[in-house]
Amino acid sequence: MIPADSSGTVFFIHRGPLQPYVRASILQALATDSDSSIVVLGDQPRELLPPEIRSVVGYELLDDYSDRADTFAQIFRFEGNNGFDYELLNFQRWFYVQSFCEARSLTGPFLVLDSDAYLYQAMSAVTPHLSTPMTVVDSVGPQFTFFLTTKALVDFTNFLTESFRTESGFESLKDFVRESNDAGVPHVSDMAAFGVYARSHNLEDLGAAERDDIIFCENIGSPQGLVMNALGKKVTTRQGRRYFTKQNGRRVLAGGVHLQGGNKDLWPYFVDTSVKRTLAQHSPRDYADARRKARQKAFRIGLLKTSARVRTLLTRGSTKNR
């Protein structure tokens, strides 16, 4: 079930079984944007896909669109802190998407989501207002990347190729990491590539704190100029729409949240009720386990924050008594 262009195409690129947090991300995109095509490129046989996913998305094997990605793998240089395969796929995914779009004659717009990114705004509510053909989140984030045209995607993959094929290109990536001083970019990664590319290309930043229309979350645990609560960025719902709150108290539409690292366990707190209902119906054991992990994670976060407040109070008390 591979549809043609509708209002756009939302892509997920994932290796390995679709764990509950990934299924929740896919179903959240579907619940948010039923007008766009949802395409998952993976490495699992279609018959092994969970039923709640198999029946509602277009699914294709990565190997069927791997020529460009395999060519990039030959020049890839590994300098990451994560596993080799993980870092490589973070770069290859853009080539997989390009090959798929070319094979299916898709022209855009496209949205490429991380497997732990949860979408709150339909493409049709975002793409007509974009000022650039490609976007970034909070200067270096690839978690919610829009491409208005195939050309914008091709330009980016050409940049990635040059960045790894040439010494000067790779040195630019390493320079960016050094200049970042480990501020979320500790090694050469796709985020470093986004940062370098944004310097020479005009990319609209969907995570900029000064935005008043819509903001996408780069990392739920990072303030990004927004009000925080116990679980990260404060997200409120008003008349069916989700909002962040800015430091001045004003609400701004939430485009989506990214549950990085261990925060993936919190996904039941950040998806629509319909998503939870679907997972509970089709995968009751997985959903029950996910709820248990979410509660445990939230409890641990609460304990850590309480302990930090107590330490702060004790420190202030001891200082006053000196």
Side-chain angles (χ1 to χ4, degrees), residues 36-188:
S36 293
S37 304
I38 310 292
V39 174
V40 179
L41 302 179
D43 63 353
Q44 305 294 295
R46 183 177 181 85
E47 58 270 20
L48 295 184
L49 293 182
E52 64 268 28
I53 300 299
R54 186 170 60 241
S55 61
V56 297
V57 303
Y59 182 80
E60 291 285 310
L61 292 173
L62 288 167
D63 284 348
D64 292 337
Y65 303 92
S66 64
D67 286 351
R68 294 183 183 279
D70 290 345
T71 298
F72 176 80
Q74 296 174 10
I75 62 171
F76 177 65
R77 312 186 196 192
F78 177 60
E79 288 201 359
N81 296 335
N82 299 308
F84 178 89
D85 291 339
Y86 172 84
E87 294 290 354
L88 175 59
L89 183 60
N90 280 342
F91 286 98
Q92 283 183 310
R93 56 178 164 168
W94 314 103
F95 296 91
Y96 284 121
V97 172
Q98 179 185 340
S99 294
F100 179 90
C101 292
E102 291 174 344
R104 300 289 173 171
S105 299
L106 301 182
T107 59
F110 316 118
L111 169 59
V112 182
L113 290 180
D114 276 7
S115 297
D116 51 4
Y118 300 82
L119 185 66
Y120 294 154
Q121 295 296 319
M123 289 185 68
S124 60
V126 179
T127 54
H129 309 292
L130 294 179
S131 61
T132 63
M134 178 181 168
T135 65
V136 66
V137 176
D138 200 21
S139 302
V140 297
Q143 300 84 3
F144 302 85
T145 304
F146 289 86
F147 297 94
L148 294 184
T149 64
T150 306
K151 182 181 183 303
L153 175 58
V154 171
D155 287 346
F156 182 57
T157 56
N158 285 341
F159 161 79
L160 293 178
T161 297
E162 288 301 299
S163 294
F164 280 82
R165 186 181 63 83
T166 65
E167 291 301 325
S168 60
F170 196 68
E171 197 60 37
S172 293
L173 298 181
K174 293 196 292 185
D175 286 344
F176 185 87
V177 172
R178 284 191 288 267
E179 294 166 10
S180 299
N181 196 26
D182 200 21
V185 190
H187 56 263
V188 172

Side-chain angles (χ1 to χ4, degrees), residues 97-295:
V97 172
Q98 179 185 340
S99 294
F100 179 90
C101 292
E102 291 174 344
R104 300 289 173 171
S105 299
L106 301 182
T107 59
F110 316 118
L111 169 59
V112 182
L113 290 180
D114 276 7
S115 297
D116 51 4
Y118 300 82
L119 185 66
Y120 294 154
Q121 295 296 319
M123 289 185 68
S124 60
V126 179
T127 54
H129 309 292
L130 294 179
S131 61
T132 63
M134 178 181 168
T135 65
V136 66
V137 176
D138 200 21
S139 302
V140 297
Q143 300 84 3
F144 302 85
T145 304
F146 289 86
F147 297 94
L148 294 184
T149 64
T150 306
K151 182 181 183 303
L153 175 58
V154 171
D155 287 346
F156 182 57
T157 56
N158 285 341
F159 161 79
L160 293 178
T161 297
E162 288 301 299
S163 294
F164 280 82
R165 186 181 63 83
T166 65
E167 291 301 325
S168 60
F170 196 68
E171 197 60 37
S172 293
L173 298 181
K174 293 196 292 185
D175 286 344
F176 185 87
V177 172
R178 284 191 288 267
E179 294 166 10
S180 299
N181 196 26
D182 200 21
V185 190
H187 56 263
V188 172
S189 64
D190 57 337
M191 295 179 72
F194 266 73
V196 174
Y197 192 68
R199 287 179 170 178
S200 57
H201 296 73
N202 186 23
L203 303 187
E204 182 169 349
D205 191 342
L206 296 179
E210 62 269 17
R211 296 184 69 97
D212 291 319
D213 53 349
I214 186 171
I215 293 180
F216 283 80
C217 163
E218 188 271 331
N219 175 359
I220 194 67
S222 173
Q224 214 172 314
L226 301 169
V227 173
M228 304 287 281
N229 66 13
L231 298 184
K233 289 184 179 70
K234 179 181 178 181
V235 180
T236 57
T237 303
R238 187 180 180 89
Q239 296 180 336
R241 308 178 84 183
R242 286 183 173 87
Y243 293 86
F244 296 126
T245 302
K246 305 185 74 171
Q247 293 295 334
N248 60 10
R250 293 182 179 178
R251 291 192 303 271
V252 58
L253 274 175
V257 296
H258 175 226
L259 304 183
Q260 183 171 322
N263 287 324
K264 290 178 180 60
D265 287 343
L266 295 173
W267 69 259
Y269 293 108
F270 291 96
V271 298
D272 289 1
T273 300
S274 63
V275 173
K276 292 182 278 191
R277 187 184 303 121
T278 298
L279 285 166
Q281 176 185 350
H282 291 278
S283 303
R285 286 188 177 181
D286 285 345
Y287 179 62
D289 186 55
R291 288 187 62 191
R292 176 182 58 80
K293 288 181 178 178
R295 289 194 295 266

